[in-house]
Amino acid sequence: MVEKTGLDERLADLAADGRLGAAPLAAEQIRARGDRRRRRKRAARASGGVLLAAAVLVGGLSLVRPGPEPTAADPSPSTSAPLFVPPTPAPGEEYATELGHVYGAVALDGGRVRVTVQQLRDERGTAVPTGVVHELTLPAVTPVEVRELAGGNPGDMRLDEVVDRLRTGPRWVFALDYDGEGRVQSLREAHWLTVE
């Protein structure tokens, strides 16, 4: 009986070895898949860490790197001066209006005129400076409605016809009409405003 039990155990061991050699047990397959997954995760974390470190380094360098030096020919704008934003028409309106002193007119080649505009705001009929000053280059044929500029006679002129009177410093106040694309369509002398 002892021999029979020993023989049964040997046969069982041989059968188990044969099964292991033919196909691994389910637990071993699961362990192998888990190992592969862990290796892939480690590799992904390592490569992601390298990419993150590179991105941080490049970003830090772009913040630290000095910008171009300002030159006398191309000065950088003052950060304290308000920036000019062309007005946009309200819904249903054709034009938006900017009030401003128009001066420093210079006739340019190609039928253009460059003017300086010192922006104003209307406070109960009085023109008050906003601190915004900008330049515009307009077509010489831009329509200009005048009154005081033409000696008190209301009339329509073109910008190139009033360049000489607009050459000097801030004296004449105009309402500049901007279309939806930020282009000046006309200038109207704001004779109804009192200049502060």
Side-chain angles (χ1 to χ4, degrees):
M1 215 144 124
V2 176
E3 289 179 21
K4 189 175 181 188
T5 307
L7 183 62
D8 286 338
E9 286 178 19
R10 275 196 197 143
L11 287 174
D13 287 341
L14 285 173
D17 287 342
R19 271 187 258 129
L20 283 176
L25 294 175
E28 291 177 22
Q29 289 175 336
I30 292 170
R31 229 177 277 120
R33 275 192 228 127
D35 288 343
R36 284 194 300 267
R37 241 184 260 123
R38 275 192 292 278
R39 275 186 250 128
R40 282 194 301 263
K41 281 183 184 176
R42 279 190 212 121
R45 267 191 239 124
S47 66
V50 169
L51 289 174
L52 178 63
V56 168
L57 179 67
V58 169
L61 288 176
S62 67
L63 291 175
V64 173
R65 185 179 43 166
E69 290 292 321
T71 62
D74 185 23
S76 60
S78 169
T79 56
S80 63
L83 297 175
F84 170 69
V85 178
T88 54
E93 297 290 324
E94 189 174 1
Y95 299 114
T97 302
E98 173 192 22
L99 291 173
H101 282 289
V102 177
Y103 61 97
V106 177
L108 304 172
D109 293 335
R112 316 278 293 161
V113 175
R114 185 179 64 235
V115 295
T116 301
V117 179
Q118 178 186 21
Q119 194 177 71
L120 305 168
R121 70 176 174 272
D122 182 358
E123 288 188 4
R124 297 185 190 128
T126 302
V128 178
T130 65
V132 176
V133 177
H134 62 97
E135 286 189 347
L136 293 172
T137 301
L138 305 170
V141 294
T142 302
V144 181
E145 290 179 22
V146 294
R147 183 168 137 180
E148 302 304 318
L149 189 68
N153 300 320
D156 293 331
M157 301 180 90
R158 296 183 333 200
L159 186 56
D160 61 349
E161 295 174 320
V162 294
V163 167
D164 290 338
R165 284 172 259 179
L166 296 176
R167 271 190 213 284
T168 60
R171 178 177 172 196
W172 308 103
V173 178
F174 284 88
L176 292 83
D177 296 320
Y178 288 80
D179 65 12
E181 295 178 12
R183 294 177 301 212
V184 175
Q185 296 299 310
S186 64
L187 284 80
R188 295 175 288 121
E189 189 176 347
H191 55 81
W192 62 89
L193 288 176
T194 304
V195 179
E196 187 178 76

